[in-house]
Amino acid sequence: MSTMSSPLEEVEANHEGCGQSESIGSYDPLEANTEDVDEDFLANHLRSPPTFHATEEMLEKVERIQNIGTTEKNMYQSLASLLTTMSEALYETLTVDMQEKLRQRHRVPAGEPGHMTFINHSSSAPCHFPADILCDAEDAPDFLGVYNVGDFLADADDVYKGVPHHRVEAIVEAKPIAKSGGRRQATTYAYRHHQARPDHPAFYCLVVKPDWYQVLLSDPTGVVASAETPWDHDDLRLLAAYIYSHYDPPRDHFLWDDTIGWIHGESLADPPTWKVKVQGQWYTQGRFVFVGEPWGRRTTILRVSDDDGGEIVIKEVYRHHQRRCKEEEILAHVHGDGDVLGVVRLKGAEHVTTNNETIKCAARGEETVRTKERFALFDSGSCLLDAKTVNDLLEAVYDALEVHRTVLLERKVLHRDMSLYNFLMYPKWGGVSGRPVSEKTPVSIRDVLRGSKRPAEERFPACLLIDFDNAARVQVTGGELKERTGTPIFIARSVSLGRVITATDSLRGTPMPRLTDDALNLYIAVHGQERYDRYNDQPGAPECHGGRPPTENPDDIDDAKLPAFVHRPEHDVESVYWTMVYALLGVQPVASPREDYASHACADVWKILLSHDIPDDEPDDAEETRGVIINARKSKWLRLFCRDMQDVAVLMWRISQHVRSEYALWEGRLKRDHLHEAVQRLILQYLVDHRDNPIELDPEHLRPTDPRSTNRGDIPTPSQLSRTQANSVSGHTAGPEGSGRGSTATRKRGRDKDSRHTANRKVSAMNTTALGGPSQQSVQSREQATANQPVPMAANLKRKLSDTKPSRSSKRLKTLSGAPVPPAGQGSDHDYL
């Protein structure tokens, strides 16, 4: 239960850097930069073998590679043979102890060759990608480096198929003279490999052409490459060092994390499970809940079991050494005088060490150092898209707001990344003993609906708040609240822009809602008349929520006098609002006909949501396109929902009128939680009014997001919202991507010296269930899992890559429910749990 202490360099950075540098704050995932070439790559990132001499046989194969011409396949046999021959020779130079350690690590039985073998796997992608999120358009590396090659079968042409990701130790991409893009494809393969292999902090790739070859190193700090090295019969040092480094990596280059490892299934056809070591204890039966962006925090979340069969959640991240926000410290503070039910509880946290060394990665330089951290969490939950009824979903939202405002008011902590991934429903509370419950634990919606409070220790809410990686203590100085942090689809508009909004509708106010009949009586029975009156506006008074805008005309506002942007509690409520829009538009009522296509009104909303980006420098209000949603008239909201959900449409229209206002401009005394109160009152009124007729939902099917005009070839193809885009687990964030146009949640880093942009966004990955991660039941039962890809995809596994950034052209997530997914690299690795 001990919490990690910060390494010395982190403490120094936090004291010396706070508020002084935009680079010190919420570090975003880095996109791999294929222009990063280290001219001293061999010295900096490889270990040269103590002895190596190229044989005549090796040199003959080099000559064949140089003369293959324009046909790539002509290179395959010679290249595989060259690499394997060199691998065998270099393995023999190792000491007996080193050989034995490698054999144990890679499960090589006695009597079998201990070296790594390079095999042709160009006709198919490795199998068993985590949680079945790999889409049909798979990436097929030309060569894989594997141990125990006899476990795999080759065809008559010596081409292998069906090697699982967890057995891959090296990747090689070959290109003929006439083709480019080898480096981009190799980077893409590294991207996917990292997601599949949490036991590989760093990973080498090799690109080979007839005239040169190049070695790449990928780790959480990004990708760095050697120079394009011409083939030289007298000098194969770089190639030899590349292979040798798989056996004996240079110091501070962690190719393996021995505290996490795969456990093979009964056969190669069965996916592996994972074992993880936390605070000296091994957990087994680990299955992926979420995998995030490889470059950056590289969040990985697994559900594991202990020896007694109990389940916990394991979350791994690579944290930048200058990062101020530390989730374990925030959670320790929140639960300081007892557990606040509704906030994920931490079992333990630690820096991950292997061979008595803390795993740190810094391929791109010392200023990029990331340390591997591991968290064990007691609690988990399900995604809002798994709701069985609309009432269940709204109860979870109500309690998420109540828990959030309690943490804000009682613990002075602001979450700053409320999203579909970071507050869950149907929570599963882990077994804890000896931990007191805080008297500050909020009153849940179930208490309100029953008209009386339960004791604090029984007051379990209908939600679970997770992923406090970007949370900030509002009374601590250091500039955290000036950072732009959030998940693109759900981020508040002002936070996305990094400035207050002065559009006309943001200057309008709506009086605090008044409850009626049973809803009012139940509220007062639990919260009391004093709390109710505290937030009410006086009848006939000009104030709304206790304040009023300075003007109703945007032209009267002097931009030079606008208040500086700061993350406010209202922004988190707005993020909850966008989460409601996403979830309520996506769920499918049982009694309503299932739509093949989205109406044009719905498709327009989805297009705006799924393509929303966090803009770069000096954005203006026009760049915030979601205004047409939040400012929509009642009639448009009614068109967005089916007949059975018309009252939900009215609810969303009413909530929009309160959330759209730019309260940073308002004069008067606004309470910190005034917007929480307004939204919760509207939800409570709906829940009471519909207590006897909840709308049943079908979690196995979601509403479509694409209009009839969406075509794949000559056949119109529906596309449905995917939980693949809804990742979350008990403690981290992920974000949905877009509709496959290449623009969904595209992350522009804005990292120049004038940028105030440190927005963290998450995405990539999977279904969600316990822990916010993917539900195995859902994964296995999605009818349209592979049918509804948003864009046409070439059947050729060796896809032609564009000149865009490497990860953007090849990462594809399977639409577990058939929903739109983003191209590679357009998700964001916030952090999940």
Side-chain angles (χ1 to χ4, degrees):
M1 284 293 297
S2 63
T3 302
M4 297 181 290
S5 59
S6 298
L8 179 60
E9 64 270 25
E10 287 190 320
V11 174
E12 292 175 347
N14 286 336
H15 281 286
E16 296 174 6
C18 289
Q20 298 178 11
S21 170
E22 286 305 307
S23 65
I24 300 176
S26 297
Y27 284 79
D28 274 335
L30 297 175
E31 293 179 2
N33 184 349
T34 54
E35 304 307 317
D36 276 4
V37 171
D38 185 347
E39 297 294 340
D40 294 322
F41 188 93
L42 193 156
N44 293 334
H45 300 297
L46 295 174
R47 189 190 296 277
S48 297
T51 59
F52 173 75
H53 300 287
T55 64
E56 287 298 322
E57 179 187 5
M58 295 176 189
L59 297 180
E60 288 175 5
K61 290 167 184 171
V62 169
E63 187 171 351
R64 290 189 203 128
I65 292 169
Q66 290 178 293
N67 296 323
I68 62 102
T70 59
T71 304
E72 180 179 316
K73 290 184 178 179
N74 291 344
M75 187 192 307
Y76 287 177
Q77 184 175 3
S78 296
L79 182 55
S81 180
L82 171 65
L83 295 175
T84 298
T85 301
M86 292 180 66
S87 176
E88 184 176 7
L90 290 165
Y91 177 80
E92 294 302 324
T93 67
L94 301 174
T95 65
V96 173
D97 287 344
M98 292 175 66
Q99 290 182 354
E100 182 58 28
K101 188 172 183 179
L102 284 168
R103 296 176 73 90
Q104 291 179 4
R105 172 176 286 123
H106 300 295
R107 334 284 175 87
V108 179
E112 294 296 325
H115 64 270
M116 182 167 60
T117 301
F118 289 82
I119 60 174
N120 181 345
H121 205 274
S122 58
S123 66
S124 61
C127 59
H128 299 329
F129 196 73
D132 194 29
I133 65 170
L134 186 61
C135 76
D136 294 338
E138 303 172 348
D139 295 310
D142 290 320
F143 300 93
L144 303 178
V146 300
Y147 290 86
N148 296 322
V149 68
D151 291 348
F152 313 111
L153 297 177
D155 62 18
D157 295 323
D158 242 8
V159 178
Y160 288 77
K161 186 176 182 179
V163 173
H165 277 279
H166 68 278
R167 297 292 298 274
V168 176
E169 295 296 324
I171 286 177
V172 181
E173 178 65 15
K175 288 289 180 186
I177 292 176
K179 289 188 177 180
S180 60
R183 183 171 170 185
R184 294 188 186 280
Q185 281 189 250
T187 303
T188 292
Y189 302 151
Y191 184 106
R192 192 179 301 287
H193 181 82
H194 283 310
Q195 291 183 311
R197 295 295 298 272
D199 57 332
H200 279 184
F203 186 67
Y204 292 114
C205 290
L206 178 66
V207 180
V208 175
K209 297 192 69 172
D211 47 351
W212 53 260
Y213 64 95
Q214 183 178 43
V215 182
L216 280 62
L217 172 64
S218 175
D219 75 10
T221 69
V223 177
V224 65
S226 72
E228 296 173 356
T229 304
W231 290 101
D232 186 337
H233 284 200
D234 297 323
D235 186 3
L236 295 179
R237 288 181 302 164
L238 179 66
L239 188 60
Y242 157 74
I243 297 173
Y244 185 81
S245 294
H246 285 87
Y247 298 142
D248 187 13
R251 185 171 178 80
D252 298 328
H253 287 64
F254 295 89
L255 267 60
W256 311 289
D257 174 3
D258 291 329
T259 66
I260 180 171
W262 52 268
I263 301 174
H264 56 72
E266 293 184 4
S267 70
L268 286 177
D270 301 309
T273 57
W274 294 83
K275 62 177 182 178
V276 188
K277 189 177 184 180
V278 184
Q279 296 182 321
Q281 179 179 354
W282 282 99
Y283 294 85
T284 59
Q285 301 300 313
R287 297 190 181 276
F288 288 101
V289 171
F290 172 78
V291 291
E293 297 272 3
W295 302 303
R297 269 179 263 174
R298 193 189 293 172
T299 302
T300 300
I301 297 173
L302 303 101
R303 182 184 302 284
V304 298
S305 301
D306 58 25
D307 292 338
D308 299 324
E311 288 187 345
I312 64 169
V313 173
I314 301 295
K315 170 182 170 182
E316 297 189 344
V317 297
Y318 288 81
R319 186 159 58 195
H320 197 288
H321 71 287
Q322 290 181 321
R323 184 175 176 82
R324 284 195 300 258
C325 302
K326 294 182 174 63
E327 181 174 26
E328 69 277 11
E329 295 177 0
I330 291 291
L331 291 177
H333 172 70
V334 169
H335 297 302
D337 68 351
D339 291 343
V340 176
L341 300 182
V343 176
V344 67
R345 295 172 295 181
L346 184 68
K347 177 180 175 66
E350 63 187 1
H351 301 296
V352 181
T353 61
T354 186
N355 294 326
N356 297 319
E357 290 186 86
T358 299
I359 295 178
K360 294 183 179 181
C361 298
R364 290 162 58 99
E366 289 303 314
E367 72 280 0
T368 68
V369 174
R370 285 182 177 269
T371 302
K372 187 171 187 180
E373 321 285 4
R374 184 172 290 152
F375 305 89
L377 303 164
F378 283 114
D379 310 312
S380 61
S382 299
C383 175
L384 295 182
L385 297 177
D386 285 325
K388 297 180 178 66
T389 69
V390 168
N391 283 20
D392 286 356
L393 194 158
L394 292 176
E395 287 181 11
V397 173
Y398 180 101
D399 276 355
L401 289 168
E402 189 68 21
V403 172
H404 181 278
R405 73 195 288 190
T406 297
V407 171
L408 170 68
L409 298 177
E410 302 296 340
R411 297 293 186 262
K412 306 299 186 292
V413 169
L414 194 57
H415 189 283
R416 298 199 305 165
D417 193 17
M418 298 292 285
S419 74
L420 187 69
Y421 320 109
N422 289 342
F423 67 90
L424 311 176
M425 66 185 306
Y426 302 140
K428 288 180 62 177
W429 308 104
V432 298
S433 59
R435 290 178 61 139
V437 172
S438 172
E439 289 299 321
K440 301 298 183 181
T441 288
V443 175
S444 80
I445 184 62
R446 290 167 189 170
D447 294 299
V448 178
L449 292 176
R450 70 200 293 264
S452 62
K453 297 181 186 179
R454 292 169 293 176
E457 62 272 12
E458 299 175 10
R459 212 177 289 159
F460 288 97
C463 73
L464 176 69
L465 265 61
I466 63 173
D467 194 358
F468 282 76
D469 272 2
N470 289 314
R473 297 174 67 173
V474 296
Q475 293 181 329
V476 175
T477 59
E480 287 95 336
L481 297 183
K482 297 179 180 179
E483 296 166 355
R484 296 162 63 192
T485 295
T487 302
I489 291 181
F490 310 109
I491 192 171
R493 292 159 300 149
S494 297
V495 182
S496 180
L497 295 173
R499 52 167 293 178
V500 298
I501 297 175
T502 57
T504 300
D505 288 306
S506 69
L507 299 175
R508 296 174 179 168
T510 302
M512 180 66 64
R514 295 294 183 106
L515 296 170
T516 62
D517 303 326
D518 285 350
L520 176 60
N521 294 331
L522 291 171
Y523 180 105
I524 293 175
V526 172
H527 294 300
Q529 186 72 44
E530 189 277 332
R531 169 167 154 166
Y532 184 71
D533 293 339
R534 189 189 317 155
Y535 295 92
N536 287 338
D537 297 309
Q538 294 301 315
E543 288 83 12
C544 297
H545 292 224
R548 60 183 181 276
T551 177
E552 294 185 359
N553 185 357
D555 295 334
D556 294 339
I557 296 178
D558 183 354
D559 286 350
K561 296 181 180 180
L562 288 176
F565 163 76
V566 64
H567 200 118
R568 296 169 58 93
E570 294 97 341
H571 295 144
D572 277 9
V573 178
E574 183 178 338
S575 291
V576 172
Y577 164 83
W578 291 118
T579 302
M580 293 178 68
V581 173
Y582 189 99
L584 289 169
L585 279 181
V587 294
Q588 171 67 46
V590 170
S592 298
R594 285 170 51 192
E595 307 155 274
D596 291 328
Y597 304 92
S599 67
H600 286 296
C602 286
D604 287 344
V605 169
W606 283 117
K607 181 178 180 180
I608 292 170
L609 287 177
L610 297 174
S611 63
H612 180 256
D613 184 23
I614 299 176
D616 275 338
D617 307 322
E618 300 181 3
D620 58 31
D621 291 2
E623 293 190 59
E624 185 41 76
T625 57
R626 292 173 298 170
V628 299
I629 301 173
I630 201 169
N631 296 318
R633 295 185 177 184
K634 180 179 179 180
S635 58
K636 181 173 182 178
W637 281 103
L638 291 171
R639 291 198 302 272
L640 294 176
F641 289 89
C642 60
R643 183 178 59 186
D644 294 335
M645 294 183 67
Q646 291 295 283
D647 287 352
V648 175
V650 174
L651 171 66
M652 292 307 300
W653 168 66
R654 288 174 175 161
I655 292 175
S656 300
Q657 292 179 304
H658 294 270
V659 176
R660 69 185 180 184
S661 302
E662 179 55 276
Y663 293 104
L665 292 173
W666 287 36
E667 300 169 347
R669 297 177 64 86
L670 296 174
K671 295 177 176 58
R672 283 186 171 183
D673 57 341
H674 70 95
L675 192 54
H676 296 74
E677 179 76 10
V679 176
Q680 286 179 278
R681 286 187 182 187
L682 292 171
I683 293 174
L684 174 60
Q685 188 71 58
Y686 175 95
L687 289 172
V688 172
D689 292 345
H690 296 80
R691 184 164 41 186
D692 299 327
N693 57 338
I695 300 170
E696 294 188 12
L697 300 174
D698 179 3
E700 294 303 315
H701 299 94
L702 299 174
R703 296 179 70 201
T705 61
D706 282 353
R708 182 176 292 274
S709 59
T710 296
N711 291 282
R712 188 193 305 173
D714 297 326
I715 304 174
T717 306
S719 176
Q720 286 197 340
L721 176 65
S722 173
R723 327 169 165 263
T724 279
Q725 308 171 144
N727 277 345
S728 64
V729 275
S730 98
H732 255 203
T733 320
E737 284 314 88
S739 57
R741 291 178 300 279
S743 61
T744 65
T746 300
R747 285 147 308 138
K748 300 173 183 177
R749 299 298 171 195
R751 289 195 174 278
D752 57 81
K753 60 184 177 63
D754 297 322
S755 172
R756 306 294 299 180
H757 184 174
T758 56
N760 286 307
R761 6 248 205 258
K762 319 178 186 189
V763 137
S764 149
M766 293 140 25
N767 198 349
T768 12
T769 212
L771 215 211
S775 156
Q776 292 303 315
Q777 174 191 11
S778 301
V779 169
Q780 295 168 1
S781 60
R782 307 294 178 213
E783 290 183 358
Q784 299 175 340
T786 60
N788 300 327
Q789 293 297 328
V791 291
M793 298 202 182
N796 184 358
L797 292 173
K798 307 295 292 183
R799 292 196 309 281
K800 181 178 180 181
L801 298 183
S802 68
D803 292 331
T804 56
K805 294 199 173 184
S807 65
R808 294 197 185 282
S809 54
S810 247
K811 174 194 170 194
R812 296 274 196 273
L813 303 180
K814 175 176 284 186
T815 53
L816 295 179
S817 325
V821 291
Q826 296 192 352
S828 62
D829 180 6
H830 207 9
D831 284 10
Y832 300 41
L833 207 76

